[in-house]
Amino acid sequence: MSRKVKIALDAMGGDLGPQSVVPAALATLERDDSVALTLVGLPAVLEQVKRQAGDRYGERLAFKEASEVVLMDERPTRA
């Protein structure tokens, strides 16, 4: 029996944001059937990913809208 791994991933994160995170996330789904991802991010970004992915990954790809993003230069205590 194979194990399923569920991961919530900040689609807005990293130095390059969605431009690097989203392609890497979709590539992971292509390579490993045991992985399910929930991408968390701004609605506009998630809508673009939904169009790009279509129904290709089924229930293995989910989306959760974030109401705000913490920028790299923001102090964590103020975020």
Side-chain angles (χ1 to χ4, degrees):
M1 181 161 123
S2 66
R3 295 181 121 184
K4 294 286 184 181
V5 177
K6 293 182 180 182
I7 301 170
L9 185 61
D10 178 4
M12 311 304 293
D15 291 341
L16 300 175
Q19 295 88 336
S20 63
V21 174
V22 170
L26 298 180
T28 299
L29 292 174
E30 287 288 328
R31 291 185 190 130
D32 192 341
D33 289 340
S34 70
V35 175
L37 295 176
T38 298
L39 294 180
V40 182
L42 293 177
V45 171
L46 298 181
E47 285 301 321
Q48 183 178 12
V49 176
K50 286 178 188 178
R51 284 192 303 275
Q52 179 183 356
D55 291 332
R56 184 176 194 151
Y57 306 105
E59 293 181 2
R60 295 177 49 232
L61 181 59
F63 302 93
K64 176 72 177 162
E65 292 183 1
S67 59
E68 59 187 314
V69 172
V70 178
L71 301 175
M72 293 292 290
D73 60 347
E74 288 187 70
R75 296 170 73 187
T77 56
R78 300 209 179 216

